[in-house]
Amino acid sequence: MRINAEVVGVIADRECSALEFATSKSIYFKKIKYNRNYTLELQSELKKLVPDVIVTNIHKIIDIDTLSLFPNKFVNLHYSLLPAFSGVIGMETIAQAKVKNVGFVGGTCHLVNEEVDAGKVLCQSCVPINWKKDQLVIDTVFKSSSLALLGGIFTILNIKTDRNEQLIINKERVLFSPPLPFNTSFLSKEFWEKVAK
């Protein structure tokens, strides 16, 4: 499935692989200073880019004034089935899930609002976990969460299809809510190697 969309820019507050990706693909990028008391640079860059969706990957809370400039456009990916482990950053959610011996993990793509990890859920992935295969757990959560993020972006862009395919990652059946609106036949080893870079 091809969609009429493009990455219009990458904005980061630190050196990261997203800036490297933008450089390699000749996509506009900017490294900025950002905190809740210094918001003008981020707001200025976003106004220039005029994005339809803003995917956050910043380990800071976005200020309410910036969120208000782009209502219902900021989305975040959280490596848990929210509201579980809200406020926990990155893959630390998986470490905490292991300590609690949860049976299912996944990812949540949600709208960003002024309350941490409390925005409207757009898409979630859910997969049963075998904690004896730790490395596969991280890989499975990463892959299923990446697809939940795509599902959330498609929700924002109002892209729908009649697809409702079963997806297997590391021999585990992954469920999505709502079902992914795209064909998953492109999920080859080469695809995941590109995503991981």
Side-chain angles (χ1 to χ4, degrees):
M1 172 181 189
R2 290 201 170 272
I3 60 168
N4 187 19
E6 69 174 304
V7 177
V8 295
V10 174
I11 303 169
D13 68 337
R14 65 193 183 286
E15 292 298 325
C16 63
S17 58
L19 292 178
E20 294 169 15
F21 173 81
T23 301
S24 72
K25 300 294 183 186
S26 300
I27 297 169
Y28 174 82
F29 68 92
K30 180 94 182 243
K31 183 178 170 196
I32 65 165
K33 176 185 172 189
Y34 176 80
N35 64 52
R36 295 188 88 172
N37 297 318
Y38 185 77
T39 62
L40 294 179
E41 198 171 6
L42 175 60
Q43 291 175 7
S44 173
E45 289 298 318
L46 290 174
K47 286 176 185 175
K48 271 197 280 187
L49 294 171
V50 194
D52 293 320
V53 178
I54 303 164
V55 179
T56 64
N57 187 21
I58 185 169
H59 292 172
K60 294 184 175 104
I61 299 169
I62 305 291
D63 66 283
I64 190 66
D65 291 336
T66 301
L67 293 174
S68 297
L69 287 172
F70 301 91
N72 298 318
K73 290 191 177 187
F74 280 88
V75 298
N76 185 46
L77 176 61
H78 190 75
Y79 294 112
S80 81
L81 294 168
L82 287 174
F85 308 110
S86 66
V88 179
I89 295 175
M91 287 293 180
E92 177 61 24
T93 56
I94 304 308
Q96 290 188 20
K98 182 178 181 180
V99 168
K100 293 191 179 282
N101 196 37
V102 300
F104 293 87
V105 294
T108 302
C109 178
H110 64 94
L111 288 175
V112 177
N113 62 18
E114 62 277 7
E115 193 177 335
V116 176
D117 294 331
K120 178 182 175 185
V121 171
L122 301 172
C123 188
Q124 287 185 304
S125 64
C126 179
V127 62
I129 286 303
N130 178 349
W131 292 111
K132 292 180 176 139
K133 299 178 181 177
D134 280 3
Q135 187 51 45
L136 286 179
V137 170
I138 298 289
D139 187 65
T140 303
V141 170
F142 170 75
K143 289 177 178 176
S144 67
S145 296
S146 299
L147 295 172
L149 177 61
L150 278 177
I153 291 169
F154 279 36
T155 299
I156 292 278
L157 297 176
N158 201 27
I159 297 171
K160 297 177 180 158
T161 68
D162 57 1
R163 301 244 179 231
N164 186 3
E165 297 184 14
Q166 182 174 344
L167 179 62
I168 306 294
I169 297 177
N170 295 326
K171 300 182 181 176
E172 297 291 349
R173 182 170 181 234
V174 182
L175 301 175
F176 291 88
S177 177
L180 293 179
F182 49 86
N183 184 321
T184 57
S185 61
F186 65 90
L187 301 176
S188 64
K189 180 180 176 188
E190 291 76 25
F191 170 83
W192 289 118
E193 286 171 352
K194 287 179 185 176
V195 169
K197 290 180 180 177

